Amino acid sequence: AVVTADACANPDLFWALRGGGGGAWGVVLSVWYRLWPKTPVRVFLMAYDAATYSTNPGAVVRYLSDHFVPFLVSVVRPARLDRRWGGYWSAACYANGIPGICLHLFFLGSEAAGRATL
C-alpha cells in the first residue's frame, strides 16, 4: 500500500523515516521539498578566548556581563530586533583555532539592510 507521511498525515511514520527510530520503516518512493529563494547571509562572530581565563571561572562571568550583555543591549537591542536577525551563543566553539565562548549573529539580507536595522 502507498502511504503519505508528513507532519499531519501519519506523523509517527514521518518521524521514523526522518531518522527518529533505529532504521527506516519503509521504502520512500518520492519526496517533496519546499525550496526558498536564495538569500544572502551576513555573519557576525564575537569570540572570547576561554583558555586565557580557564583558571578563573569568575573571569568568564565578568567577561560575559561586561562585554556580551552590554553589546546585545546597546547595539543589537533584542526587543526591537528585525526578524531577519538570528543567532546563538556557544560555550564550546573555536575562533582562529582557539577554544572559546562565541556569540554568533546572522542577518538574512544584504549588509546595508542589516546595518539599517541596528
Side-chain angles (χ1 to χ4, degrees):
V2 175
V3 176
T4 298
D6 59 27
C8 297
N10 299 302
D12 53 343
L13 179 58
F14 184 57
W15 175 80
L17 288 170
R18 287 182 21 198
W25 292 93
V27 176
V28 178
L29 299 176
S30 67
V31 177
W32 290 76
Y33 289 100
R34 179 181 300 165
L35 302 177
W36 300 97
K38 196 161 110 176
T39 304
V41 176
R42 302 293 178 246
V43 178
F44 173 79
L45 170 65
M46 184 175 180
Y48 161 72
D49 179 3
T52 304
Y53 298 97
S54 62
T55 58
N56 186 355
V60 174
V61 174
R62 279 193 303 280
Y63 182 85
L64 293 173
S65 65
D66 293 346
H67 298 284
F68 274 41
V69 174
F71 171 78
L72 286 173
V73 173
S74 68
V75 177
V76 178
R77 299 175 297 196
R80 297 177 45 208
L81 201 57
D82 187 284
R83 291 179 49 116
R84 294 172 289 176
W85 278 100
Y88 61 94
W89 73 275
S90 172
C93 71
Y94 286 87
N96 297 324
I98 300 170
I101 298 170
C102 296
L103 173 65
H104 305 264
L105 297 175
F106 54 86
F107 180 77
L108 300 176
S110 69
E111 181 178 350
R115 286 180 182 273
T117 66
L118 297 176

